[in-house]
């Protein structure tokens, strides 16, 4: 593994397969006072994705040590990003098992947590690809196109569906719907990312993983989004329609997560 510190101007060369083909993975992590609360969860997902792509990673101890050391260099609230690529490569799609993977660490200022999001359902379709479903790979062009559907701050997030009209995720988040006290989130079987914050919710609440449409979202009692940096965020409006202000399930989970992050 070759490590690069982007904060110090280090970067892989133009022959890096992550740049050429999106051949890699990434993790975006919340850091507070130089500590990443979900570091083990992030790196566990990273290793799972690397196994799917056939990218050899070093031992977990080395990954934890490198990322924790990087985060500790700046005690301010920040976002730490770890980007893993297959490494350098020659022209063509064939992979070279002899080349070491590249790891790029960078950080930036973390924005204050949001009290709620205004979301819209995107027209851009999320492709179905079971072999890539769940992992946080570098191929994010559908999300880029979806985010281009609006400008400015009118919306905070977009909801993405596959071509069958089934809700899969947000552009940068996972989506949960509450109807009559029942919590539902999309399955991550053909599209979407198995988010770290999503996994936290699944461990602490009774959640059904089902298929549902954007029309069903519009009739929900509560909608909330999860994101490893922002946590649990209540959805205030969807496509301009305001949701009920009483959000007992969302509020309970938010309090539980905030308590864990503060401990």
């Amino acid at each position: 593994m070759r490590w690069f510190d982007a904060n110090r101007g280090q970067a892989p060369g133009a022959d890096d397969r992550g740049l050429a083909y999106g051949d890699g993975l990434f993790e975006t992590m919340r850091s507070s006072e130089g500590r990443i609360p979900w570091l083990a969860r992030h790196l566990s997902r990273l290793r799972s994705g690397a196994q799917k792509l056939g990218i050899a990673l070093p031992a977990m101890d080395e990954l934890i040590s490198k990322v924790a050391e990087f985060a500790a260099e700046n005690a301010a609230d920040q976002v730490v990003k770890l980007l893993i690529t297959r490494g350098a490569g020659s022209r063509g799609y064939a992979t070279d098992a002899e080349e070491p993977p590249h790891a790029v660490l960078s950080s930036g200022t973390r924005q204050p947590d949001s009290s709620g999001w205004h979301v819209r359902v995107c027209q851009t379709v999320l492709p179905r690809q079971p072999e890539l479903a769940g992992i946080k790979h570098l191929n994010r062009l559908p999300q880029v196109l979806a985010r281009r559907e609006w400008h400015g701050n009118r919306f905070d997030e977009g909801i993405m569906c596959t071509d069958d009209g089934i809700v899969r995720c947000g552009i940068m988040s996972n989506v949960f719907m509450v109807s009559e006290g029942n919590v539902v989130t999309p399955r991550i079987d053909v599209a979407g990312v198995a988010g770290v914050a999503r996994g936290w919710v699944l461990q602490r609440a009774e959640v059904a993983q089902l298929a549902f449409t954007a029309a069903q979202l519009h009739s929900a009692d509560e909608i909330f989004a999860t994101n490893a940096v922002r946590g649990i965020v209540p959805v205030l409006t969807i496509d301009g329609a305001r949701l009920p202000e009483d959000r007992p399930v969302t509020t309970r989970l938010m309090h539980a997560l905030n308590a864990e992050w503060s401990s």
Side-chain angles (χ1 to χ4, degrees), residues 44-116:
S44 177
R45 179 177 63 179
L46 184 76
R47 292 189 71 85
S48 177
Q51 288 175 356
K52 283 190 176 184
L53 295 183
I55 297 176
L57 296 184
M60 182 67 83
D61 288 348
E62 178 181 341
L63 291 172
I64 290 176
S65 175
K66 289 283 190 179
V67 178
E69 180 182 356
F70 180 84
E73 291 178 358
N74 184 353
D77 291 345
Q78 60 181 328
V79 177
V80 172
K81 185 171 184 176
L82 171 61
L83 189 152
I84 301 287
T85 79
R86 196 179 300 276
S90 56
R91 291 179 59 86
Y93 294 115
T95 60
D96 184 351
E98 300 300 319
E99 288 291 336
H102 290 164
V104 183
L105 281 163
S106 61
S107 68
T109 302
R110 176 161 57 83
Q111 299 298 317
D113 294 335
S114 175
S115 59

Side-chain angles (χ1 to χ4, degrees), residues 3-263:
W3 291 88
F4 299 85
D5 185 336
N7 288 9
R8 297 178 180 176
Q10 302 171 6
D15 60 351
D16 184 84
R17 289 182 60 89
L19 177 62
Y21 306 118
D23 189 0
L25 306 148
F26 72 102
E27 293 290 333
T28 307
M29 299 166 277
R30 178 189 181 100
S31 178
S32 298
E33 299 180 353
R35 184 180 68 88
I36 299 173
W38 282 343
L39 180 55
R41 289 174 178 266
H42 280 285
L43 296 182
S44 177
R45 179 177 63 179
L46 184 76
R47 292 189 71 85
S48 177
Q51 288 175 356
K52 283 190 176 184
L53 295 183
I55 297 176
L57 296 184
M60 182 67 83
D61 288 348
E62 178 181 341
L63 291 172
I64 290 176
S65 175
K66 289 283 190 179
V67 178
E69 180 182 356
F70 180 84
E73 291 178 358
N74 184 353
D77 291 345
Q78 60 181 328
V79 177
V80 172
K81 185 171 184 176
L82 171 61
L83 189 152
I84 301 287
T85 79
R86 196 179 300 276
S90 56
R91 291 179 59 86
Y93 294 115
T95 60
D96 184 351
E98 300 300 319
E99 288 291 336
H102 290 164
V104 183
L105 281 163
S106 61
S107 68
T109 302
R110 176 161 57 83
Q111 299 298 317
D113 294 335
S114 175
S115 59
W117 279 350
H118 301 278
V119 308
R120 58 167 286 167
V121 177
C122 296
Q123 295 179 351
T124 302
V125 169
L126 191 65
R128 287 189 275 182
Q129 175 48 275
E131 293 184 5
L132 296 178
I135 68 175
K136 199 161 185 179
H137 54 79
L138 294 178
N139 296 272
R140 298 287 126 190
L141 282 178
Q143 286 81 358
V144 171
L145 293 177
R147 183 56 185 86
R148 284 176 55 84
E149 291 183 16
W150 77 92
H151 301 283
N153 300 320
R154 182 181 177 188
F155 298 103
D156 304 290
E157 174 65 314
I159 306 297
M160 300 190 70
C161 303
T162 40
D163 57 2
D164 54 2
I166 300 300
V167 172
R168 300 296 177 177
C169 58
I171 295 174
M172 60 178 178
S173 66
N174 290 108
V175 180
F176 291 78
M177 176 178 70
V178 183
S179 296
E180 298 181 351
N182 298 312
V183 187
V184 180
T185 195
R187 291 192 298 268
I188 307 296
D189 53 352
V190 297
V193 174
V196 167
R198 175 184 184 271
W200 185 92
V201 172
L202 294 180
Q203 290 179 339
R204 283 159 178 79
E206 185 174 339
V207 182
Q209 299 182 54
L210 302 172
F212 57 88
T213 65
Q216 289 172 286
L217 266 183
H218 278 266
S219 61
D221 299 323
E222 304 175 49
I223 303 172
F224 63 89
T226 58
N227 174 284
V229 173
R230 295 166 174 82
I232 296 171
V233 185
V235 172
L236 307 179
T237 65
I238 178 168
D239 291 328
R242 184 163 293 277
L243 289 160
E245 295 185 6
D246 186 29
R247 298 181 283 266
V249 175
T250 306
T251 301
R252 174 175 59 81
L253 290 169
M254 288 175 63
H255 287 166
L257 178 55
N258 290 337
E260 179 175 314
W261 275 352
S262 300
S263 62

